[in-house]
Each structure stands twice: as C-alpha cells, then as structure tokens.
Amino acid sequence: MRNVPTLLRREMNACFASVLGYVVLVFLLVVMGFVFCSSIADLLASGTTQITVMRRFFYWFWLPSLFVIPAITMRLLAEEKRSGTIEMLMTAPVTDFEVVLAKWLGAVVLYGLMWGLTGLYVLILRKFTGGLTSLDFGPIASGYLGVLLIGQFLIAVGVLTSSLTKNQVVAFLISFALVFLFVIGIWFGEYFARGTTFGKLFEYISCFTHMEEFARGIVDVRTVVLYLSASFWVLFVTTRVVESRKWR
Amino acid sequence: MQPMIKVENLTKRYAGVTALNGVSFEVGRGEIVGFLGPNGAGKSTTMKILTGFIPASAGQVTVAGCDVFEESLEVRRHIGYMPENNPLYVDMRVNEYLKFRAKLKGVARADRKERVQEAMERTGIADVQDRVIGQLSKGYRQRVGLADALLHEPDLLILDEPTIGLDPVQIRQVRELIKELGKQHTILLSTHILPEVEMTCNRVIIIHRGKILASDTPENLRKTLRSGGMVNVELRAPLADVQSVLPVVPGVASVTVTTGDDGMVYAAVEAKADADPREAIYQAAVQGGWTLRELTRSRTTLEDIFVQVTREEDEAEEDRRDQRRSVLR
C-alpha cells in the first residue's frame, strides 16, 4: 500500500488537468441547484415543514450521479490501456491492487469534493430560513455520508467497467447502464413486486430506502458495511480483470 | 558472476499463436545487446516477459538472479524499461512526471530531486523540464522515456524500439545517448533497423518467428555466415572469355556476368569463405589482355546476414510444410 498516496496524487492532478472534470462539476451543481430551487419553491408554496428541503434534496442525489459517476470513472483504466501507459505503470514496482485502489480512491475523493461544493446550498438555506425552520445539521451530515457511501460503491462499479475496455465511450455506456439498473431497476422491482418476498428484498437493497434513512439522520451500520464490502468485492474483481492480461 | 539476463526455453503462446518457441539466451553484465528481427518476430513479447508485464507460458527467466514471475517486484527494481511507442502521461510536466516516477520506483525522498535532475541532464531535457509532455516533439518525448528508465539507476535497461519514429538527427542523438549509457548499464534494445545494431551493440541476437537464429558479435556473424562477400568487376573484354575464365579463378565461388549498353562487361563475383580473389582476378585480366575499369569488394553487411538467415529459416519452414503435405497425401 506504500504507493497508493503517490498514485492517488497523480490521479487528482489528472482530474483537474482535464476539462471534463470541470464540466462534470458544473453539471452536478446545475442539476442539484435546480433540485434545491424547486424544493425551496415547494416549501414556500405549501408552507409545510414535513418534507424538509434537504431531505428532498438528498432524495434526488441519484439523478446527477447517473451521469457523473460514469463520466469520472470511464477514463481511469480504459485510457491507460488505450495509450499504453498501463505498461509503464505495471512494470514499475507497484502491485495491480495498489493501482486499482488508487484509481477508485481518486474518483471517490473527486466525487466527494464535488458534492462538498453543494454545501453552499446549505449555507444559503440557513441564511434565508433562519426564522421559518431551524436547520438540523445532523441529518444533513448523515445525508452527505449516504451520498458518499452509495457513490463510492457505484464508483467501484465504474472502475470495473473501465477495466473491461480500451474505449472510454464504451466504458461510459456500460457503467451508465449498470448505475441505471442499480437505481431505477431496483426501484422498479420494488414497485411492481410490492407485498411479495421479492419486493421486500428489493426494498432492502434499494438505494432509495438507504438514502431515505440517511437523510432522516439514521446511520445504520448494516448499510455502511453492505456498501463498503460490496465495493471491496467489486475492486477485487477489477484487480483480477487487470491481472487477466497475464493469463489470457 | 551470474549473467544479467538468463532465458531458458522461453515459450509464449497467445490464443492460437505461438509468439515465442523455446527461446534461450543470456546477457552478461555490461553488454549492449541488440535484439534484431522483423515485425512480429517476438521481440516485444520477450521484453514484456522480462519486465514482468506478462508471464511466460513455459520456461525460466531470471534477471539479476531473480525469477521474473516469482519475484516480480524485485526484478522490476533492477530494470529500467522503455516500452514500444514510449507511452507517457501527456498531461504532466516533464519534471512533475519524473518526480512521480521516481517516487513510484522507490527512490528515497532525500535523493529524489538529485536523481531527477541527473536523469534530465544525462538525457538533455533539463531545458524543457517545465513543459507539458504532450507538447514536446517526439525526440524529446523519447528522451523523457529514457530519463524515466534511468531514474532509479537500474542495472539493466530494456529499450523497445528506442529510435522508432524519430528524424535522422534525433536518431543519431538517441544512439549516441545509448552508447554513452552502455558504459554504466547493461542494455538490451530491440530494433528492426540493422545499421542501428551495428552502430550501438556489441552483440546481436537475431530472432525470427519466435526462434533465435543467431547470436554473436556483428563481426563474427559476418565471418561465420558469409565471410568472402561480393566483388564487383567491370571489364572491357569479350563476354565469352570472361564467362569461361572468371569462375575458375582461385577463391571465386560463383560469377554472374552481364553486359551493358556501353560495351562493358559487369561481373558480380561471390567470393569463397575466407578468400579475397581480387588479386587473382587482376592477374586473370592482365593475362587475357582485358581492360579493367573497376574491382571493388563489398563487405557483407548485417543486412545480408539478416536476409540470408531469415530466408533460410523460411525455406526450411516451407520444406517442413511440404513434407507434411506429402505425408498426408
């Protein structure tokens, strides 16, 4: 693990050296800004405090993620393979797992920084709702934790798809499809199989269920363990894929 | 002293294709060895196996006494590798990239700055160190690749086609650099450009279709394979006389005679091994009363050897195929 910080730093530099990183950031801020505005408008119109602004804000976290996660992960391994730099990387004294881990970590940090900027919205909310509703920072913090936790798993999936191809567009489309299935597919299953055992199963693994809990300020250790172990497993598979050059 | 590289019975099969077939060779410390072969001969595959990027299907490969598969990380510390086409992170600055690579290769923090500076100076890229790699010319990029290979002061440099895609001036510079580096490092370089090997290497390994066909110094290869070379003769003489006299001149193996429009007779004489028939040809001309306009000897170039060796191998392969076919019939 000695080389992870070095590799991570290189990843972060690469993110900010490309235009793509900034485009994705703007995209995220625009989409979540729109969600935020509509929540405020709703709040002002109905005057209720039952669904608070931030809960609704977190509910929509999946919408930008659907595009943001494939966009920030598609490059990671596909580009190294296309340009041949993977050969430079893998013939330096580093292990394959170190490389995969650094790629994933770099994207997670980037994703976290991007969402961190939406913290400005919280400050705006605090300024304008001072009298109307007092903000509870606990659920907001746990909401962000949820965004990061679910995000890091989907990023691991993105790293995996990036390891499967040399083509970034292909990597984007595959991980988009997988993230779509994970979010919308499971939601669909939950909706149509409601009341059955399957419906229950879908409800347990649905990111909507989890996000709902996080946004209410509930941090369930089982959920945290589920997502972390799932990412670990996906990253393990990714390492195998990267190693597969050795037995193909 | 153990050799720097020891390869025994190395075989590599890709799905359906045998890229290397029982290759064995050694490279001693301090040698500059050229790996010569046409495209697709197995040069890059061998280098990828040596650097631990891909494993062998069969055989034993050790670098500095370490098995490349079992002790891959240790082997990588001994090797400075420049892959084919010299892939680099084009978005980084030269010094930034080299610093990153030095860290990755485990150069101690205290030495890092010095090593990066030294590598840049040796390869002559210190003046472009603040430029982005993607904006550099191909010659400079090649040197960045070389500087990277030198960073951790490896015992062994493995350079895959180090001069490909460069202009003649850059090629000369890179060759000079390689020669210079050969004073301190063992070097294995691959190329399909023959003069390159003759100029830079003290040993040549000819590889073709995944097999080693020859391994010797350029001089010895010349001696053993076809030492006499060709003698070009231009005469003003009757064609029939030349055709009858020249083949029996001592030291002559074979003669091809042609006539030109200008009434001259041109003879391409192939000399026997270890023979120089020029004086004998002169004597024959004097006796026959011929006017001799040219009598020159062309030394066998590595190119001739290469063509000869690979052609022999291809013909042998064809024979084997024919035999198999006739057996089937």
Side-chain angles (χ1 to χ4, degrees):
Chain A
M1 295 302 112
R2 185 181 62 86
N3 293 307
V4 173
T6 311
L7 292 165
L8 179 62
R9 219 176 125 194
R10 146 77 197 145
E11 285 307 316
M12 298 312 298
N13 285 341
C15 290
F16 291 111
S18 73
V19 188
L20 184 72
Y22 295 99
V23 173
V24 171
L25 173 63
V26 169
F27 175 80
L28 180 89
L29 292 180
V30 167
V31 173
M32 290 318 289
F34 181 79
V35 170
F36 180 73
C37 286
S38 72
S39 311
I40 297 271
D42 223 38
L43 179 76
L44 292 179
S46 63
T48 61
T49 54
Q50 273 192 336
I51 286 191
T52 63
V53 175
M54 287 313 280
R55 261 167 79 184
R56 182 156 159 179
F57 177 80
F58 284 126
Y59 174 84
W60 285 98
F61 88 100
W62 60 272
L63 183 60
S65 301
L66 211 53
F67 301 94
V68 166
I69 287 173
I72 62 175
T73 56
M74 64 181 186
R75 181 184 52 85
L76 297 176
L77 285 154
E79 178 62 13
E80 298 258 9
K81 274 168 47 166
R82 193 198 56 78
S83 69
T85 46
I86 188 127
E87 200 168 339
M88 297 295 292
L89 200 54
M90 295 310 184
T91 51
V94 295
T95 63
D96 293 4
F97 184 65
E98 281 177 329
V99 171
V100 170
L101 192 69
K103 296 271 175 201
W104 168 77
L105 211 54
V108 171
V109 171
L110 182 71
Y111 186 72
L113 287 176
M114 286 179 175
W115 276 96
L117 283 179
T118 65
L120 287 171
Y121 303 158
V122 182
L123 293 183
I124 293 169
L125 192 64
R126 193 176 116 118
K127 175 127 182 84
F128 288 100
T129 59
L132 195 62
T133 47
S134 55
L135 270 186
D136 186 355
F137 281 100
I140 293 175
S142 66
Y144 275 113
L145 179 73
V147 169
L148 201 61
L149 196 66
I150 298 170
Q152 60 82 32
F153 165 67
L154 295 176
I155 286 168
V157 174
V159 177
L160 174 63
T161 56
S162 180
S163 76
L164 295 170
T165 171
K166 280 182 187 176
N167 187 325
Q168 295 193 35
V169 179
V170 171
F172 180 92
L173 290 175
I174 296 176
S175 59
F176 178 83
L178 290 176
V179 174
F180 186 86
L181 273 182
F182 177 76
V183 178
I184 309 296
I186 291 177
W187 176 79
F188 232 60
E190 186 195 339
Y191 184 80
F192 283 105
R194 184 163 290 166
T196 67
T197 322
F198 274 120
K200 205 79 184 148
L201 181 72
F202 281 131
E203 196 190 321
Y204 275 129
I205 59 169
S206 167
C207 65
F208 287 104
T209 316
H210 303 142
M211 201 59 230
E212 173 82 31
E213 280 181 5
F214 281 117
R216 275 190 290 149
I218 302 165
V219 179
D220 190 338
V221 179
R222 288 175 305 176
T223 317
V224 175
V225 170
L226 173 73
Y227 278 106
L228 286 179
S229 53
S231 317
F232 183 80
W233 187 78
V234 173
L235 292 178
F236 174 76
V237 173
T238 310
T239 310
R240 292 284 133 175
V241 173
V242 172
E243 278 173 356
S244 75
R245 69 172 190 275
K246 296 189 170 171
W247 35 262
R248 262 199 300 220
Chain B
M1 201 163 70
Q2 62 182 356
M4 195 68 233
I5 302 175
K6 194 171 180 195
V7 174
E8 284 172 280
N9 285 319
L10 175 61
T11 298
K12 174 72 190 177
R13 280 177 227 99
Y14 292 108
V17 186
T18 304
L20 292 173
N21 193 358
V23 166
S24 302
F25 66 92
E26 279 186 15
V27 175
R29 275 172 205 272
E31 272 191 299
I32 306 183
V33 174
F35 225 23
L36 186 63
N39 294 330
K43 293 170 296 192
S44 294
T45 304
T46 310
M47 291 185 157
K48 283 182 174 144
I49 293 171
L50 280 169
T51 51
F53 186 63
I54 54 172
S57 306
Q60 186 87 28
V61 182
T62 56
V63 170
C66 303
D67 186 287
V68 291
F69 195 65
E70 301 291 329
E71 300 153 274
S72 179
L73 289 180
E74 185 56 33
V75 165
R76 291 184 223 174
R77 286 190 192 102
H78 284 281
I79 296 179
Y81 176 43
M82 188 166 104
E84 206 174 357
N85 303 325
N86 187 29
L88 301 165
Y89 289 132
V90 288
D91 56 313
M92 289 176 103
R93 289 175 198 286
V94 173
N95 51 10
E96 188 189 16
Y97 176 73
L98 292 176
K99 225 173 97 194
F100 161 71
R101 295 289 298 178
K103 259 199 261 179
L104 216 54
K105 291 174 171 190
V107 176
R109 179 188 288 269
D111 305 337
R112 220 174 277 152
K113 213 171 161 187
E114 200 181 320
R115 288 283 178 77
V116 169
Q117 195 60 36
E118 200 188 307
M120 287 195 297
E121 270 159 24
R122 284 177 78 181
T123 51
I125 51 172
D127 51 329
V128 293
Q129 58 174 296
D130 292 320
R131 304 234 333 243
V132 176
I133 293 174
Q135 290 167 359
L136 292 178
S137 71
K138 195 140 187 184
Y140 270 120
R141 279 196 220 184
Q142 211 76 2
R143 289 157 186 235
V144 174
L146 274 172
D148 169 35
L150 294 174
L151 277 175
H152 54 306
E153 299 193 319
D155 304 328
L156 173 64
L157 290 177
I158 294 184
L159 313 173
D160 200 350
E161 308 258 6
T163 57
I164 202 164
L166 300 184
D167 69 34
V169 179
Q170 293 167 334
I171 288 179
R172 192 169 297 175
Q173 288 168 344
V174 169
R175 279 181 195 157
E176 286 303 314
L177 183 58
I178 289 170
K179 259 191 199 168
E180 186 63 35
L181 293 173
K183 289 172 186 162
Q184 287 155 47
H185 306 264
T186 308
I187 301 182
L188 177 67
L189 65 89
S190 79
T191 179
H192 60 263
I193 306 162
L194 295 137
E196 186 154 301
V197 192
E198 293 197 273
M199 269 180 259
T200 47
C201 305
N202 37 43
R203 193 151 64 88
V204 185
I205 296 175
I206 297 180
I207 183 167
H208 183 52
R209 297 180 176 218
K211 273 188 206 155
I212 288 182
L213 300 184
S215 164
D216 215 328
T217 61
E219 291 77 40
N220 280 348
L221 278 178
R222 273 202 207 96
K223 254 182 226 156
T224 51
L225 280 155
R226 200 211 270 162
S227 53
M230 301 297 293
V231 176
N232 294 318
V233 190
E234 279 181 40
L235 297 156
R236 191 175 294 280
L239 181 65
D241 287 5
V242 177
Q243 272 171 334
S244 60
V245 173
L246 276 192
V248 294
V249 167
V252 172
S254 69
V255 182
T256 318
V257 184
T258 51
T259 50
D261 300 337
D262 50 358
M264 299 298 291
V265 174
Y266 299 90
V269 177
E270 195 185 331
K272 281 181 183 156
D274 286 328
D276 182 355
R278 282 179 298 177
E279 285 177 30
I281 291 172
Y282 171 75
Q283 295 295 345
V286 169
Q287 274 167 24
W290 308 335
T291 312
L292 188 60
R293 192 168 75 174
E294 188 185 331
L295 183 60
T296 49
R297 181 185 186 195
S298 56
R299 281 162 59 80
T300 319
T301 60
L302 212 49
E303 196 155 324
D304 299 324
I305 296 171
F306 180 69
V307 170
Q308 190 187 341
V309 164
T310 52
R311 196 203 290 137
E312 277 166 14
E313 173 61 22
D314 285 347
E315 277 163 9
E317 176 72 29
E318 220 134 88
D319 286 349
R320 281 195 289 275
R321 229 178 275 156
D322 288 345
Q323 271 168 13
R324 255 176 274 150
R325 254 184 237 138
S326 57
V327 167
L328 284 174
R329 268 190 224 123

